[in-house]
Amino acid sequence: MVKHRLYAFLGLFFPVLFIQQWLPMREYNSPAPPKTIEERIDSVMKLMTLEEKIGQMTLFTSDWDVTGPTMRANYKEDIKKGKVGAIFNAHTAAYNRELQRVAVEETRLGIPLIFGYDVIHGYKTIFPISLGEAASWDLEAVEKAARVAAIEASAAGLHWTFAPMVDISRDPRWGRISEGAGEDVFLGNAMARARVRGFQGDDLKATNTLVACAKHYAAYGAAQAGRDYHTVDISERTLRETYLPPFKAALDEGVGTFMTSFNELFGVPASGSELLIDQILKTEWNFNGFIVTDYTSINEMVDHGVVADEKEAGELAANAGVDMDMQGAVFYNYLAQSVKEKKVSKQQIDEAVRRVLRIKFQLGLFDDPYRYSDVSRQEAALLAPEHLEAARDVARKSMVLLKNDRQTLPLSKELKSIAVIGPLATSQADLLGSWHAAGFAEDCVSLLSGLKDAVSSNTSVMYAKGCDVIGGDQSGFAPALTIASQADVIIAAVGEGWDMSGEAASRSNIDLPGHQKALIKALSGLGKPLVLVLMNGRPLALPEVHQQADAMLETWYAGTMGGPAIADVLFGDYNPSGRLPVTFPRNVGQVPIHYNMKNTGRPMDPNDKYTSKYLDVENTPLYPFGYGLSYTQFEYSDPTVNKSTFGPTETVSVEVNVKNTGQYEGKETVQLYIRDLVGSVTRPVKELKGFQQIVLTPGQSRSVRFDLTVEDLKFYNRDMEWTYEPGEFDIFIGPHSAVTNAVRVKLLKK
Ligand code: GLC
């Protein structure tokens, strides 16, 4: 505040300085009786010049991390000139405190910066990738992961995370399927809400919360051919039924910001889409936070071919309702001129700035700009033991047991010898997955280390790489086969490298890359129990290794504590409870494939040539949505209902009895699906409408009940009205989406 005193002193001799410099800073920072946030925003805005307002609509990356195609050298100069109001990719308490000092002490109005970062699945303590967290179907666990991420990130000077990514994705070729919650709307909605709760807590002013960002708005996951940044061409029905709901769920949970996506929709890039931003988000949904674009996505509207130059792109974005330009410097370079030419109104600018300042006030940044930059809190928070334990717990819960013939798993810790094979068994970096923020590989515990720490001193654990993840040759097979032939059990860690999914990481082939398939085939020829540990960021096509392995555990990228968590599951210290949030196809030719497809007019009939099927592969996936095994077994009764007909104001209760008929205590995710048999438009063959997780000891059984109302049965009818239609519905309750036993109910007109 030294500057304020200097201006006060100088103002005595040069009144203009008092008016221009000192008064503004005192005005909105005055310790006058607390005003509402809207009044405080007014008090700032009336002092701001147009250039300062455009500065609040500008977000630049620091040079501490690279998350896109362009960098800026002089962002510190921009801060000093008041020409940027937000910085991303800058973190740690000390560094952000210094940048904040420049903004608060060295600019005319001292408006604090907001610091953003991609804290997707952890800041320093890294949790499983988001697709893995979703596989837990455990909303408390997912919220906890976001909570810990917020505690660590907010201790490191950050205010804003570019998460949750809520894009529905049904195409495993798309690398960013790894960042979301999979293929289903109901599960995606629940995950979006849990993550917003975790990040934002119940008070954005608290120094252990972050304002969240629902991204990428919208339908980015529908990129044609799974190729990142590719064209999206879907119907309004598909947009509203499939891709928008998780964004609305995030908004209903109070998410403070949205990020527009790179893709076009209905021929207009999302960052220039008045339909998406002004009509749906700001008007229909009454969103009052702010909307930031994705990285230079305004500039990219020139390449999209909807504007002639960047200035026009800025006008299209601003008039569509974009409030902040990420890294494009388009508002920075051209918006003042556009306003002077009356191509963008001052009201539009003020609306955007108001939204940005509102979040900054809600974060408490005007009360204490340095509140999130406390070095001592940072040291206490990062990698705290309770955070590492939480990461291990969420990782265990994220793992999906795909196969377990002859109860190969769990393994005994007293085994005489274990051969650990594969390029991912010793990797620490790959456990982090994509978007691992400030997570360091050296902080990760590898699978090999986790296994060695878990077994008894009598167990010999041998290791050979066998081959690389991708490329390389088969010269490592021989030593791998040698140790494998000497062992009681073979554990092979295979999959993809961490950077083979995430942004700009689409694959046209979703097989195990490199020589890994050949390695598994060779190992399977030894006749030893063969356990596959999969590390991957997308569904892979695994039909061959599914045949060759005795057991298969999907671990995604399990994070900082991945090794111990995998060991916990392999040795039975945790009975795997994960269920797939996304379908695993038999091959990429089946894509897109998801459980809730339409029946078509010629549903598959193996005995009828002229029905919807392939000549060379079944229609069914290798593993369906919702699938996952346990070390125990669960038996379901047929579902029953308390009434077989019900009116639109009534509730129908559907019950099922679940019994643990195995030898282990286990957690079961009981899933409820509906099928609308006849609608004014075609309806999916199944839709997830509920799930409950129960823990049963061996022999224990429990009744599980779901209460359905007409709200669970609504959809967009032929006239695109969100409504219900009377008629018959099949209700399924079971362990995955391929469940067949159903009970039929009838919804009456009234
Ligand atoms: C990237 C990503 C987006 C991320 C942003 C900032 O291009 O698309 O998810 O939040 O840039 O790093």
Side-chain angles (χ1 to χ4, degrees):
M1 294 305 172
V2 169
K3 194 160 166 282
H4 291 190
R5 292 195 199 98
L6 172 66
Y7 277 124
F9 174 71
L10 292 174
L12 296 173
F13 307 97
F14 307 96
V16 68
L17 263 182
F18 178 86
I19 303 297
Q20 259 200 352
Q21 297 296 340
W22 187 79
L23 183 63
M25 290 180 284
R26 301 308 300 163
E27 165 79 14
Y28 68 75
N29 265 338
S30 66
K35 301 172 184 165
T36 66
I37 283 185
E38 297 311 307
E39 289 167 338
R40 296 181 72 184
I41 292 170
D42 293 340
S43 70
V44 178
M45 288 190 65
K46 71 184 180 190
L47 301 169
M48 295 172 77
T49 64
L50 176 62
E51 283 66 24
E52 287 165 334
K53 289 178 179 176
I54 293 170
Q56 292 303 307
M57 299 170 68
T58 298
L59 166 67
F60 285 148
T61 179
S62 86
D63 49 12
W64 272 37
D65 206 338
V66 180
T67 60
T70 67
M71 294 301 288
R72 279 181 72 85
N74 53 357
Y75 61 93
K76 289 177 190 164
E77 280 311 303
D78 293 322
I79 294 172
K80 201 174 283 189
K81 293 174 192 159
K83 299 189 78 174
V84 58
I87 294 288
F88 68 114
N89 293 333
H91 53 100
T92 71
Y95 184 61
N96 286 15
R97 174 180 282 274
E98 172 48 24
L99 294 182
Q100 190 71 289
R101 188 200 60 74
V102 172
V104 171
E105 297 287 333
E106 300 189 17
T107 63
R108 189 177 78 90
L109 290 177
I111 297 174
L113 294 166
I114 182 171
F115 291 108
Y117 197 31
D118 293 282
V119 182
I120 312 296
H121 53 106
Y123 169 72
K124 195 72 179 173
T125 302
I126 301 301
F127 286 74
I129 56 170
S130 303
L131 190 62
E133 288 183 7
S136 72
W137 291 53
D138 185 329
L139 301 178
E140 271 181 43
V142 170
E143 181 175 341
K144 175 72 174 175
R147 187 89 292 281
V148 169
I151 290 166
E152 292 195 351
S154 56
L158 290 162
H159 313 133
W160 179 27
T161 178
F162 303 138
M165 187 271 213
V166 301
D167 300 306
I168 296 289
S169 173
R170 296 163 168 180
D171 192 328
R173 293 172 291 184
W174 192 50
R176 305 200 77 167
I177 195 170
S178 59
E179 301 175 38
E183 69 187 48
D184 181 69
V185 169
F186 188 90
L187 184 63
N189 292 352
M191 290 294 159
R193 300 185 81 124
R195 285 174 171 146
V196 170
R197 282 196 303 272
F199 287 128
Q200 297 195 162
D202 51 20
D203 177 8
L204 285 182
K205 266 193 180 161
T207 52
N208 62 1
T209 60
L210 297 171
V211 63
C213 180
K215 74 181 186 183
H216 307 78
Y217 184 68
Y220 182 26
Q224 285 179 344
R227 200 177 84 209
D228 207 358
Y229 317 123
H230 204 346
T231 302
V232 167
D233 187 1
I234 57 176
S235 65
E236 185 183 352
R237 177 180 301 283
T238 298
L239 173 69
R240 287 186 176 275
E241 273 180 355
T242 301
Y243 293 98
L244 288 185
F247 288 97
K248 183 65 168 55
L251 184 144
D252 292 342
E253 197 62 43
V255 74
T257 67
F258 269 61
M259 181 188 294
T260 56
S261 54
F262 294 117
N263 57 283
E264 69 169 78
L265 188 65
F266 308 139
V268 179
S271 297
S273 170
E274 193 176 343
L275 167 70
L276 279 177
I277 303 168
D278 200 37
Q279 288 181 28
I280 294 176
L281 184 50
K282 289 188 174 180
T283 307
E284 194 177 317
W285 293 355
N286 191 28
F287 175 62
N288 63 16
F290 73 77
I291 294 109
V292 65
T293 65
D294 203 340
Y295 211 111
T296 63
S297 62
I298 296 179
N299 316 58
E300 293 162 17
M301 294 203 277
V302 177
D303 281 333
H304 271 293
V306 290
V307 290
D309 55 39
E310 291 190 347
K311 176 174 175 293
E312 206 183 316
E315 289 154 7
L316 182 62
N319 289 326
V322 164
D323 302 310
M324 188 182 283
D325 166 12
M326 180 190 283
Q327 188 56 15
V330 174
F331 289 173
Y332 176 98
N333 287 324
Y334 307 108
L335 202 48
Q337 183 58 31
S338 298
V339 171
K340 289 186 180 93
E341 294 171 2
K342 301 196 184 314
K343 292 186 177 159
V344 176
S345 71
K346 289 181 178 172
Q347 290 69 27
Q348 192 73 51
I349 301 294
D350 286 352
E351 168 66 15
V353 175
R354 173 171 292 280
R355 287 169 177 268
V356 173
L357 294 179
R358 182 176 298 131
I359 292 293
K360 291 187 175 183
F361 274 109
Q362 288 172 354
L363 285 165
L365 291 174
F366 280 91
D367 303 321
D368 172 6
Y370 305 107
R371 62 193 298 120
Y372 294 87
S373 292
D374 176 335
V375 174
S376 57
R377 189 171 68 235
Q378 175 180 268
E379 262 134 41
L382 305 194
L383 296 173
E386 64 272 24
H387 295 172
L388 293 171
E389 187 44 44
R392 183 171 179 168
D393 181 52
V394 176
R396 285 191 292 253
K397 290 172 176 172
S398 70
M399 294 174 195
V400 184
L401 183 61
L402 299 174
K403 183 180 182 184
N404 192 25
D405 284 1
R406 295 174 296 286
Q407 285 291 96
T408 301
L409 295 176
L411 301 173
S412 161
K413 293 179 182 177
E414 301 300 327
L415 277 170
K416 192 162 159 299
S417 65
I418 298 175
V420 182
I421 311 291
L424 291 167
T426 55
S427 174
Q428 292 169 285
D430 291 304
L431 289 172
L432 292 170
S434 63
W435 298 108
H436 47 261
F440 285 171
E442 50 266 32
D443 294 325
C444 294
V445 183
S446 72
L447 171 60
L448 184 60
S449 300
L451 293 170
K452 286 181 173 175
D453 293 343
V455 294
S456 73
S457 53
N458 307 322
T459 305
S460 148
V461 178
M462 301 169 282
Y463 173 70
K465 183 163 83 164
C467 66
D468 295 323
V469 169
I470 191 164
D473 57 28
Q474 299 190 0
S475 59
F477 281 27
L481 292 168
T482 298
I483 68 163
S485 61
Q486 296 160 6
D488 296 330
V489 171
I490 306 166
I491 296 175
V494 292
E496 298 175 311
W498 70 269
D499 55 357
M500 295 175 70
S501 57
E503 184 174 0
S506 296
R507 291 181 66 204
S508 67
N509 174 327
I510 56 173
D511 291 353
L512 274 177
H515 298 276
Q516 297 179 92
K517 275 169 65 173
L519 177 64
I520 299 303
K521 185 168 191 292
L523 291 169
S524 69
L526 297 174
K528 301 264 182 177
L530 174 57
V531 177
L532 291 198
V533 171
L534 295 166
M535 298 185 190
N536 43 291
R538 57 163 51 83
L540 296 177
L542 302 166
E544 301 90 348
V545 296
H546 172 80
Q547 292 301 328
Q548 293 153 1
D550 298 293
M552 291 171 67
L553 182 68
E554 175 58 74
T555 70
W556 316 104
Y557 295 114
T560 305
M561 296 300 284
I566 298 170
D568 290 342
V569 173
L570 292 180
F571 291 108
D573 291 333
Y574 183 80
N575 182 358
S577 56
R579 297 290 180 267
L580 292 179
V582 64
T583 300
F584 274 52
R586 296 177 187 279
N587 66 45
V588 72
Q590 290 183 305
V591 172
I593 178 172
H594 46 94
Y595 82 94
N596 47 354
M597 303 191 90
K598 302 296 186 68
N599 202 38
T600 79
R602 292 195 174 186
M604 194 285 288
D605 175 346
N607 304 314
D608 180 345
K609 171 182 172 58
Y610 299 101
T611 57
S612 183
K613 59 187 180 300
Y614 302 96
L615 292 177
D616 55 354
V617 73
E618 302 174 38
N619 284 11
T620 57
L622 185 61
Y623 309 119
F625 172 82
Y627 171 81
L629 300 175
S630 169
Y631 291 150
T632 194
Q633 290 74 44
F634 297 101
E635 200 172 85
Y636 284 70
S637 70
D638 287 336
T640 58
V641 288
N642 64 339
K643 59 185 82 166
S644 54
T645 60
F646 65 109
T649 60
E650 295 179 85
T651 296
V652 63
S653 297
V654 197
E655 274 192 76
V656 73
N657 194 66
V658 185
K659 182 174 184 179
N660 180 340
T661 57
Q663 307 303 313
Y664 293 87
E665 177 177 289
K667 176 159 79 169
E668 174 67 338
T669 300
V670 182
Q671 301 161 39
L672 179 140
Y673 298 86
I674 67 162
R675 178 177 184 179
D676 183 351
L677 295 167
V678 177
S680 58
V681 292
T682 56
R683 309 286 296 117
V685 294
K686 278 202 185 82
E687 294 172 89
L688 180 70
K689 291 293 181 184
F691 61 89
Q692 294 180 38
Q693 294 191 313
I694 57 174
V695 176
L696 296 177
T697 55
Q700 187 183 8
S701 65
R702 183 179 304 166
S703 172
V704 179
R705 192 184 87 188
F706 295 87
D707 292 331
L708 288 177
T709 72
V710 71
E711 293 307 317
D712 298 306
L713 309 179
K714 286 184 175 179
F715 65 104
Y716 286 98
N717 69 5
R718 196 173 296 177
D719 301 321
M720 283 301 287
E721 295 155 340
W722 181 252
T723 185
Y724 71 92
E725 293 177 352
E728 293 187 319
F729 294 80
D730 280 345
I731 314 286
F732 306 80
I733 299 183
H736 49 66
S737 61
V739 57
T740 53
N741 54 336
V743 60
R744 188 157 293 184
V745 296
K746 185 171 187 176
L747 172 62
L748 303 174
K749 195 163 182 57
K750 53 179 185 296

